């Protein structure tokens, strides 16, 4: 198990590529015999260097379209100004320039290129605001357009270049970040989210394992969409976020669940019982008896990912898991009674104190085969991975690598994925 160390963020490739892109634009300026204005090339390349490579070509095309739209409007304005209106550089001149932005932006809307509006306006303004009256307007517009296109082209090339070794597309990476999602260790920084998104785009086999429900994971990691189903509820289910389905579930049989419910209710406890019906997660519950139950319900029942029903579970429905929360001595006593009863057979039971409600503990009941290891084995086979590497930000999980900071997890995973031997 690898321990965490103090980590100083690296200088990212986007920073390096941005500086390199501007340098290349200046070099091209000198190779052109100092023709044009390199400022506009530098501006374009800085805009084009993105932290993600997805849709790079499409973005470049949109920006090229924007350049031509701005250039055409700029040329028309100059010709009208020189040959018809004879405006000087007074306030009226700038009023007309401002109003001209309306048809420019509207043009991008009409041709369904809304993302090109920024470049259209930049090119137009660079032409009409900085134009020198003694220059040939056609040459001036051509130079400004070429300056911008050079920046777009350089940005497109640099954005498509990857500085790494062989990508490791044969390893299944499985990550637990429950501690970070619970508010410890800061959580994922924007830079780590970008690293993860880029790796997923390049073919990273990634899953997460969590004690939470799928809803809890989605709320804790709203911007993360792993390429493979996540292992949720401590190995009870696999949930495919992209397809909103459950490809594998370990359940407690309907008959056995009825016996467990009868046993627990007979001792005065409310039970939150989770079932999955046609890929819909439903939570049945009884009367809310204590403050922890009431607070949990108030916080969670409005979530679009959960469906709470204050009614008895239909007897024919099998159960994914059951949960009770109450004062710690009561939960510990209930656990001992379950262990010594006939209903304990074929069950896996977790008991642990609550971080949110002092003096309270949880008891969670699953099928005995529900485990992260079983689900990892299933994912390894279904994804055709050749090996598995696990990470965790908490010591509760057995993992190959432990880092208290989830950013360190992402950076280590990034290094392993990009520099495969």
């Amino acid at each position: 198990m690898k321990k965490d160390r103090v980590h100083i963020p690296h200088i990212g490739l986007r920073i390096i590529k941005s500086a390199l892109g501007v340098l290349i634009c200046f070099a091209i300026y000198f190779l052109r015999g100092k023709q044009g204005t390199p400022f506009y090339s530098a501006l374009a390349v800085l805009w084009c260097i993105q932290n993600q490579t997805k849709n790079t070509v499409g973005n470049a095309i949109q920006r090229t379209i924007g350049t031509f739209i701005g250039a055409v409007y700029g040329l028309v304005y100059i010709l009208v100004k020189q040959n018809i209106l004879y405006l000087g550089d007074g306030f009226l001149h700038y009023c007309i320039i401002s109003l001209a932005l309306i048809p420019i932006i509207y043009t991008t809307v009409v041709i369904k290129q809304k993302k090109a509006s920024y470049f259209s306006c930049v090119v137009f303004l660079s032409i009409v605001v900085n134009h020198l009256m003694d220059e040939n307007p056609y040459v001036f517009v051509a130079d400004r357009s070429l300056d911008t296109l050079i920046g777009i082209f350089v940005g497109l090339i640099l954005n498509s270049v990857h500085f790494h070794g062989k990508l490791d597309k044969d390893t299944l990476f499985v990550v637990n970040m429950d501690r970070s999602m619970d508010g410890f260790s800061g959580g994922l920084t924007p830079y780590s989210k970008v690293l993860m998104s880029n790796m997923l785009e390049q073919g990273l086999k990634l899953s997460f394992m969590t004690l939470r429900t799928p809803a809890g994971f989605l709320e804790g990691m709203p911007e993360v969409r792993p390429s493979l189903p996540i292992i949720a509820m401590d190995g009870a289910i696999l949930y495919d976020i992209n397809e909103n389905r459950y490809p594998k579930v370990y359940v407690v049989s309907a008959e056995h669940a009825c016996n467990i419910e009868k046993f627990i209710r007979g001792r005065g406890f409310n039970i939150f019982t989770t079932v999955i019906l046609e890929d819909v997660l439903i939570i049945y519950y009884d009367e809310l008896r204590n403050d922890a139950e009431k607070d949990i319900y108030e916080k969670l029942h409005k979530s679009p990912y959960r469906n709470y029903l204050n009614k008895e579970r239909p007897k024919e429905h099998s159960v994914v898991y059951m949960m009770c929360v109450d004062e710690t001595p009561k939960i510990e006593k209930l656990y001992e009674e379950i262990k010594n009863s006939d209903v304990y057979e074929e069950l896996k039971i977790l008991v642990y104190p609550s971080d949110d409600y002092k003096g309270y503990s949880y008891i969670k009941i699953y099928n005995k085969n529900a485990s992260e290891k079983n689900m990892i084995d299933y994912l390894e086979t279904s994804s055709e991975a050749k090996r598995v590497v696990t990470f965790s930000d908490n010591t509760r999980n057995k993992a190959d690598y432990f880092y208290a900071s989830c950013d360190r997890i992402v950076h280590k995973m990034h290094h392993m994925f990009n520099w495969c031997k």
Side-chain angles (χ1 to χ4, degrees):
M1 183 175 290
K2 307 297 178 65
K3 296 296 182 181
D4 192 26
R5 296 176 296 177
V6 175
H7 173 63
I8 299 175
H10 301 291
I11 295 176
L13 277 180
R14 184 182 185 186
I15 298 174
I16 297 173
K17 287 181 178 181
S18 297
L20 180 60
V22 172
L23 177 60
I24 292 173
C25 289
F26 288 149
I28 292 175
Y29 168 66
F30 278 93
L31 291 174
R32 292 175 61 201
K34 295 186 178 182
Q35 294 294 317
T37 307
F39 168 78
Y40 298 109
S41 299
L43 183 68
V45 76
L46 288 173
W47 179 263
C48 288
I49 295 295
Q50 298 292 315
N51 50 23
Q52 297 185 34
T53 58
K54 186 178 181 180
N55 298 325
T56 296
V57 175
N59 291 337
I61 292 174
Q62 286 186 328
R63 287 157 186 156
T64 301
I65 293 172
T67 298
F68 282 112
I69 292 173
V72 170
Y73 274 97
L75 178 61
V76 170
Y77 179 80
I78 290 174
L79 293 176
V80 171
K81 182 175 182 289
Q82 287 183 348
N83 300 299
I84 300 176
L85 298 179
Y86 301 103
L87 294 173
D89 293 330
F91 184 68
L92 180 59
H93 165 64
Y94 293 101
C95 287
I96 295 175
I97 288 176
S98 301
L99 292 174
L101 296 176
I102 296 175
I104 293 174
I105 297 174
Y106 184 69
T107 299
T108 64
V109 174
V110 170
I111 65 174
K112 298 182 179 180
Q113 297 292 336
K114 295 180 182 180
K115 293 182 179 180
S117 60
Y118 171 82
F119 260 85
S120 299
C121 294
V122 167
V123 173
F124 172 76
L125 292 172
S126 69
I127 292 171
V128 301
V129 174
N130 297 322
H131 171 62
L132 301 177
M133 297 300 293
D134 57 345
E135 290 187 273
N136 184 315
Y138 298 100
V139 174
F140 186 88
V141 170
D143 281 343
R144 291 299 171 270
S145 301
L146 181 59
D147 291 334
T148 303
L149 290 173
I150 287 172
I152 293 173
F153 179 76
V154 171
L156 174 63
I157 297 300
L158 288 178
N159 236 29
S160 302
V161 173
H162 303 288
F163 302 97
H164 51 61
K166 180 183 176 183
L167 295 177
D168 187 356
K169 298 183 180 181
D170 295 324
T171 296
L172 168 62
F173 294 91
V174 184
V175 182
N176 182 290
M177 292 184 177
D178 276 353
R179 184 172 174 81
S180 297
M181 287 191 285
D182 287 336
F184 300 96
S185 306
L188 282 175
T189 63
Y191 180 64
S192 290
K193 292 177 183 178
V194 168
L195 280 183
M196 194 179 296
S197 296
N198 283 340
M199 288 188 287
L200 287 170
E201 182 185 329
Q202 294 165 9
L204 172 74
K205 286 183 170 68
L206 174 65
S207 179
F208 286 83
M209 50 187 174
T210 177
L211 187 62
R212 296 178 171 212
T213 64
F217 177 84
L218 289 169
E219 291 163 351
M221 293 281 180
E223 299 176 12
V224 177
R225 288 294 183 270
S227 53
L228 296 172
I230 65 169
I231 302 167
M233 298 182 184
D234 204 48
I237 65 172
L238 279 181
Y239 175 63
D240 191 321
I241 294 176
N242 300 305
E243 297 187 12
N244 191 30
R245 67 185 186 89
Y246 300 84
K248 186 170 182 61
V249 181
Y250 288 109
V251 297
V252 177
S253 69
E255 181 180 357
H256 197 181
C258 288
N259 293 331
I260 298 168
E261 287 172 335
K262 181 179 179 181
F263 183 91
I264 293 177
R265 285 177 180 145
R267 283 153 179 79
F269 289 88
N270 169 46
I271 314 172
F272 291 97
T273 304
T274 300
V275 304
I276 295 175
L277 298 177
E278 298 182 359
D279 288 327
V280 176
L281 190 146
I282 301 173
I283 303 171
Y284 296 96
Y285 68 99
D286 305 322
E287 178 186 354
L288 301 176
R289 301 171 185 269
N290 60 59
D291 292 338
E293 289 179 336
K294 294 174 182 177
D295 191 58
I296 290 171
Y297 174 77
E298 287 301 320
K299 288 180 178 178
L300 302 182
H301 83 282
K302 296 179 182 178
S303 166
Y305 305 115
R306 296 177 177 86
N307 300 280
Y308 279 87
L309 289 179
N310 182 206
K311 60 186 298 185
E312 187 175 345
R313 173 188 59 88
K315 302 299 183 183
E316 69 274 15
H317 294 163
S318 56
V319 172
V320 177
Y321 95 117
M322 301 174 177
M323 183 195 82
C324 299
V325 57
D326 213 313
E327 296 173 359
T328 298
K330 294 181 180 179
I331 291 295
E332 291 176 346
K333 181 181 179 183
L334 175 63
Y335 174 58
E336 291 299 324
E337 290 179 346
I338 293 176
K339 282 181 62 178
N340 295 321
S341 72
D342 294 336
V343 300
Y344 184 63
E345 185 182 0
E346 302 294 315
L347 296 180
K348 165 187 165 183
I349 301 180
L350 297 181
V351 177
Y352 59 93
S354 171
D355 292 327
D356 299 315
Y357 309 103
K358 187 176 180 180
Y360 283 79
S361 289
Y362 297 100
I363 184 169
K364 295 185 177 181
I365 301 172
Y366 307 87
N367 178 297
K368 74 170 186 178
N369 294 317
S371 72
E372 292 173 344
K373 182 183 183 306
N374 286 344
M375 287 301 191
I376 289 174
D377 291 343
Y378 176 86
L379 281 178
E380 183 180 10
T381 301
S382 62
S383 66
E384 299 182 345
K386 295 181 179 179
R387 66 194 68 86
V388 177
V389 176
T390 56
F391 297 87
S392 181
D393 66 352
N394 64 85
T395 55
R396 190 189 72 84
N397 296 88
K398 293 181 179 180
D400 299 315
Y401 294 88
F402 168 75
Y403 296 106
S405 164
C406 56
D407 279 337
R408 281 295 292 131
I409 291 176
V410 175
H411 283 276
K412 179 64 176 179
M413 185 166 57
H414 180 260
H415 177 78
M416 296 176 70
F417 176 68
N418 283 278
W419 300 101
C420 177
K421 294 181 180 180

